[in-house]
mmCIF file of all heavy atoms in Angstrom:
data_model
loop_
_atom_site.group_PDB
_atom_site.id
_atom_site.type_symbol
_atom_site.label_atom_id
_atom_site.label_comp_id
_atom_site.label_asym_id
_atom_site.label_seq_id
_atom_site.Cartn_x
_atom_site.Cartn_y
_atom_site.Cartn_z
ATOM 1 N N GLU P 346 11.126 15.906 4.910
ATOM 2 C CA GLU P 346 10.855 14.826 5.839
ATOM 3 C C GLU P 346 9.456 14.857 6.446
ATOM 4 O O GLU P 346 8.830 13.814 6.637
ATOM 5 C CB GLU P 346 11.911 14.785 6.951
ATOM 6 C CG GLU P 346 13.266 14.342 6.485
ATOM 7 C CD GLU P 346 14.115 15.384 5.798
ATOM 8 O OE1 GLU P 346 13.630 16.619 5.815
ATOM 9 O OE2 GLU P 346 15.201 15.152 5.311
ATOM 10 N N SER P 347 9.006 16.099 6.819
ATOM 11 C CA SER P 347 7.719 16.220 7.455
ATOM 12 C C SER P 347 6.644 15.599 6.489
ATOM 13 O O SER P 347 5.729 14.814 6.913
ATOM 14 C CB SER P 347 7.405 17.648 7.753
ATOM 15 O OG SER P 347 6.147 17.719 8.416
ATOM 16 N N SER P 348 6.768 15.936 5.229
ATOM 17 C CA SER P 348 5.783 15.419 4.268
ATOM 18 C C SER P 348 5.987 13.964 3.859
ATOM 19 O O SER P 348 5.067 13.342 3.381
ATOM 20 C CB SER P 348 5.770 16.328 3.042
ATOM 21 O OG SER P 348 5.135 17.556 3.340
ATOM 22 N N ILE P 349 7.202 13.473 4.025
ATOM 23 C CA ILE P 349 7.396 12.033 3.769
ATOM 24 C C ILE P 349 6.500 11.259 4.711
ATOM 25 O O ILE P 349 5.736 10.392 4.341
ATOM 26 C CB ILE P 349 8.880 11.618 3.921
ATOM 27 C CG1 ILE P 349 9.669 12.207 2.732
ATOM 28 C CG2 ILE P 349 9.000 10.122 3.930
ATOM 29 C CD1 ILE P 349 11.200 12.006 2.893
ATOM 30 N N VAL P 350 6.563 11.691 5.972
ATOM 31 C CA VAL P 350 5.691 11.011 6.970
ATOM 32 C C VAL P 350 4.249 11.422 6.749
ATOM 33 O O VAL P 350 3.322 10.597 6.829
ATOM 34 C CB VAL P 350 6.168 11.295 8.408
ATOM 35 C CG1 VAL P 350 5.254 10.668 9.456
ATOM 36 C CG2 VAL P 350 7.600 10.811 8.592
ATOM 37 N N GLY P 351 4.009 12.741 6.499
ATOM 38 C CA GLY P 351 2.652 13.213 6.338
ATOM 39 C C GLY P 351 1.930 12.585 5.137
ATOM 40 O O GLY P 351 0.766 12.162 5.313
ATOM 41 N N THR P 352 2.588 12.458 4.032
ATOM 42 C CA THR P 352 1.937 11.820 2.869
ATOM 43 C C THR P 352 1.762 10.328 3.107
ATOM 44 O O THR P 352 0.823 9.709 2.675
ATOM 45 C CB THR P 352 2.718 12.028 1.559
ATOM 46 O OG1 THR P 352 3.998 11.633 1.735
ATOM 47 C CG2 THR P 352 2.604 13.486 1.103
ATOM 48 N N ALA P 353 2.715 9.729 3.882
ATOM 49 C CA ALA P 353 2.528 8.291 4.192
ATOM 50 C C ALA P 353 1.333 8.087 5.034
ATOM 51 O O ALA P 353 0.584 7.104 4.847
ATOM 52 C CB ALA P 353 3.770 7.811 5.005
ATOM 53 N N ILE P 354 1.044 9.028 5.921
ATOM 54 C CA ILE P 354 -0.198 8.927 6.711
ATOM 55 C C ILE P 354 -1.369 9.016 5.790
ATOM 56 O O ILE P 354 -2.364 8.248 5.913
ATOM 57 C CB ILE P 354 -0.249 10.126 7.723
ATOM 58 C CG1 ILE P 354 0.823 9.888 8.834
ATOM 59 C CG2 ILE P 354 -1.654 10.238 8.407
ATOM 60 C CD1 ILE P 354 1.047 11.084 9.767
ATOM 61 N N GLY P 355 -1.377 9.964 4.825
ATOM 62 C CA GLY P 355 -2.495 10.080 3.858
ATOM 63 C C GLY P 355 -2.662 8.827 3.058
ATOM 64 O O GLY P 355 -3.805 8.342 2.851
ATOM 65 N N LEU P 356 -1.569 8.246 2.603
ATOM 66 C CA LEU P 356 -1.624 6.998 1.876
ATOM 67 C C LEU P 356 -2.215 5.855 2.736
ATOM 68 O O LEU P 356 -3.054 5.060 2.209
ATOM 69 C CB LEU P 356 -0.189 6.641 1.349
ATOM 70 C CG LEU P 356 0.235 7.312 0.087
ATOM 71 C CD1 LEU P 356 1.763 7.266 -0.064
ATOM 72 C CD2 LEU P 356 -0.428 6.718 -1.152
ATOM 73 N N ALA P 357 -1.796 5.827 3.964
ATOM 74 C CA ALA P 357 -2.350 4.786 4.869
ATOM 75 C C ALA P 357 -3.808 5.010 5.113
ATOM 76 O O ALA P 357 -4.639 4.044 5.174
ATOM 77 C CB ALA P 357 -1.621 4.834 6.184
ATOM 78 N N LEU P 358 -4.292 6.272 5.181
ATOM 79 C CA LEU P 358 -5.702 6.500 5.361
ATOM 80 C C LEU P 358 -6.460 6.038 4.150
ATOM 81 O O LEU P 358 -7.666 5.671 4.251
ATOM 82 C CB LEU P 358 -5.959 8.027 5.560
ATOM 83 C CG LEU P 358 -5.465 8.657 6.872
ATOM 84 C CD1 LEU P 358 -5.565 10.178 6.822
ATOM 85 C CD2 LEU P 358 -6.313 8.071 8.053
ATOM 86 N N ARG P 359 -5.760 5.965 2.984
ATOM 87 C CA ARG P 359 -6.442 5.475 1.759
ATOM 88 C C ARG P 359 -6.310 3.978 1.623
ATOM 89 O O ARG P 359 -6.785 3.442 0.651
ATOM 90 C CB ARG P 359 -5.731 6.185 0.582
ATOM 91 C CG ARG P 359 -6.245 5.893 -0.789
ATOM 92 C CD ARG P 359 -7.663 6.447 -1.045
ATOM 93 N NE ARG P 359 -8.239 5.899 -2.253
ATOM 94 C CZ ARG P 359 -9.453 6.173 -2.759
ATOM 95 N NH1 ARG P 359 -10.180 7.095 -2.164
ATOM 96 N NH2 ARG P 359 -9.885 5.599 -3.823
ATOM 97 N N GLY P 360 -5.644 3.340 2.552
ATOM 98 C CA GLY P 360 -5.538 1.882 2.547
ATOM 99 C C GLY P 360 -4.218 1.345 2.105
ATOM 100 O O GLY P 360 -4.061 0.121 1.924
#
Side-chain angles (χ1 to χ4, degrees):
Chain P
E346 288 80 7
S347 183
S348 287
I349 290 174
V350 178
T352 54
I354 291 169
L356 279 159
L358 291 171
R359 180 72 192 179

